[in-house]
Amino acid sequence: MQPVERLQDLLPCIATFVVVVEANGFAAAARRLGTTRSAVSKQVARLEEAWGVKLLRRTTRAVSLTEPGQEAYEHAVQIPRLAMLAEESAASLSRTPRGRLRVTASVSFGQHMLVPLLPAFAERYPQVVVELHLLDRLVDMVDEGFDVGIRLSEHLPEGLVARKLGDIRYRVCASPKLRGIAGMQRPEDLLTLPALRLAGRRAKDPWVLSQGDERVSLQPQGRITVNTSDALATLAVAGQGVAMLPDYVTQAAMARGDLVELLPDWTAHGPFGDAFWAVRAPARPEYGLDPPRLRIEVTVRTASRRGTRDAAGPKESIGPPAVPCAGCCCSWCPRRARHRIWWPRSHRMTSTNRWAWSTDS
């Protein structure tokens, strides 16, 4: 029998063997495969007979790998993964993006920056199911099955591929009705006003402002702390104090005249860093090759006093970048003012988490 014909004959048995090992038992494997325990046992027995070795030690409660079984499993587990990569590679040639895209971001950033983009995205990609999770906590991209996350941070977790998408401008602002805001010249003048600050571990972070080579760090005091930027903005509009907030939170209130910027000649440095990043988990080495790269086009708009702009970084990096603008997971197209971001398939190769992006240019 030729190798290909022999492989074709044994493929179902190999797949069943892999599931038995991963499920740690025949009964659990049968439930995952939607078949009976005896059918699973026969498949494994057939594989053992074909290869002439005993692969599993069977007990009443569990199964364990023999030494030949461990060696065989390390090779056999590659076959389903490579088959999925072949499927994905073929699907990536489709010009119609489709499937489920799981995205995570912080609550305020997601509400102001991502949610407004969803209608246009949904219209352009009708076969893509977007699952956006807005969470004000640190997310494990792999364990929680996210394809991409948007992070506002100077310190990105190790082991993630990061792409700088844009800059964040912070402003120190207050209601125009708040007493004592007139005539401010230096950051130290803020200490005379009640401060509105983020609750939790950020409550003691200093406020940092810079002008040229001068950098001033302050610890303004106040009686109110809350855990979201939107809540801080609401309190500032109500005249309860002065707050340091990102542009995407304050733009609407400032346009209405509900908030005014204090010390506009100084640059405020917010608690989450001055940039936002797209992050994803890198390709897993056990695949033996890089998964086909799948692309999504995103237009990221960052508002500033100079207008809307896109920001790009030059290289891909793993873990925290060495310099603020390092790290990217996309290629930059000079012909269009948008980012072409390449994402690998999610590590969780399940029927509900498969997606492919078009390869059009």
Side-chain angles (χ1 to χ4, degrees):
M1 183 180 293
Q2 295 297 319
V4 174
E5 296 172 349
R6 178 178 174 82
L7 178 63
Q8 181 181 9
D9 188 51
L10 291 177
L11 268 177
C13 301
I14 295 173
T16 300
F17 167 61
V18 169
V19 174
V20 169
V21 175
E22 292 178 346
N24 196 32
F26 288 91
R31 287 193 295 271
R32 284 179 56 178
L33 295 171
T35 185
T36 63
R37 187 182 187 282
S38 61
V40 171
S41 180
K42 288 177 182 178
Q43 291 270 56
V44 174
R46 183 183 173 196
L47 186 62
E48 290 177 326
E49 182 181 357
W51 286 351
V53 293
K54 192 170 186 62
L55 301 173
L56 298 171
R57 301 185 189 92
R58 299 161 174 81
T59 68
T60 55
R61 294 189 176 182
V63 296
S64 60
L65 287 164
T66 63
E67 185 176 351
Q70 179 64 46
E71 186 75 17
Y73 173 74
E74 291 176 2
H75 294 285
V77 74
Q78 301 294 332
I79 296 175
R81 290 171 179 162
L82 290 173
M84 286 202 175
L85 288 175
E87 175 191 350
E88 179 181 295
S89 181
S92 68
L93 297 178
S94 168
R95 302 185 69 85
T96 304
R98 65 188 182 276
R100 184 178 301 274
L101 176 64
R102 302 191 77 233
V103 184
T104 179
S106 64
V107 174
S108 291
F109 185 90
Q111 287 176 340
H112 292 279
M113 297 288 282
L114 298 184
V115 171
L117 299 176
L118 288 182
F121 184 89
E123 182 178 356
R124 183 171 184 178
Y125 301 113
Q127 295 186 44
V128 175
V129 177
V130 179
E131 193 175 306
L132 176 61
H133 292 250
L134 303 181
L135 306 166
D136 282 333
R137 62 174 176 82
L138 212 54
V139 171
D140 189 308
M141 298 290 295
V142 177
D143 286 351
E144 299 186 48
F146 287 106
D147 299 304
V148 59
I150 307 298
R151 294 278 176 88
L152 283 65
S153 179
E154 290 181 337
H155 308 289
L156 300 175
E158 294 185 4
L160 293 180
V161 179
R163 163 69 165 101
K164 182 181 175 183
L165 294 181
D167 298 315
I168 301 174
R169 178 184 171 86
Y170 287 84
R171 300 178 189 271
V172 178
C173 52
S175 168
K177 300 177 182 179
L178 183 66
R179 292 182 179 180
I181 64 172
M184 288 201 163
Q185 299 295 325
R186 291 192 51 81
E188 291 84 355
D189 296 335
L190 296 173
L191 297 176
T192 63
L193 301 175
L196 299 169
R197 312 195 62 173
L198 287 171
R201 62 189 181 92
R202 296 290 183 186
K204 296 183 179 180
D205 287 354
W207 285 12
V208 179
L209 295 96
S210 64
Q211 186 182 66
D213 295 333
E214 185 179 5
R215 194 175 182 91
V216 178
S217 179
L218 305 171
Q219 282 287 0
Q221 301 299 314
R223 296 186 300 114
I224 301 177
T225 61
V226 291
N227 67 340
T228 71
S229 297
D230 286 299
L232 286 179
T234 300
L235 289 166
V237 168
Q240 295 302 301
V242 59
M244 181 182 289
L245 294 167
D247 250 1
Y248 57 82
V249 172
T250 62
Q251 277 180 337
M254 293 187 70
R256 294 191 304 265
D258 294 335
L259 290 176
V260 294
E261 183 178 8
L262 309 183
L263 302 173
D265 294 332
W266 288 77
T267 300
H269 303 277
F272 302 108
D274 297 331
F276 58 100
W277 305 75
V279 297
R280 63 170 174 85
R284 292 174 67 176
E286 59 264 37
Y287 283 121
L289 53 96
D290 288 334
R293 302 202 298 178
L294 308 173
R295 181 167 70 207
I296 175 176
E297 293 183 346
V298 215
T299 303
V300 180
R301 298 181 174 88
T302 304
S304 70
R305 286 185 300 175
R306 296 177 296 277
T308 301
R309 68 185 180 215
D310 290 323
K315 295 181 180 179
E316 181 171 279
S317 66
I318 303 292
V323 294
C325 61
C328 86
C329 55
C330 82
S331 60
W332 171 252
C333 173
R335 295 173 296 174
R336 297 184 184 179
R338 65 181 64 184
H339 298 290
R340 302 294 183 88
I341 300 179
W342 297 75
W343 305 114
R345 185 195 188 102
S346 169
H347 298 344
R348 299 179 179 273
M349 302 292 189
T350 66
S351 60
T352 59
N353 194 21
R354 298 177 181 176
W355 52 282
W357 298 103
S358 64
T359 57
D360 60 325
S361 57

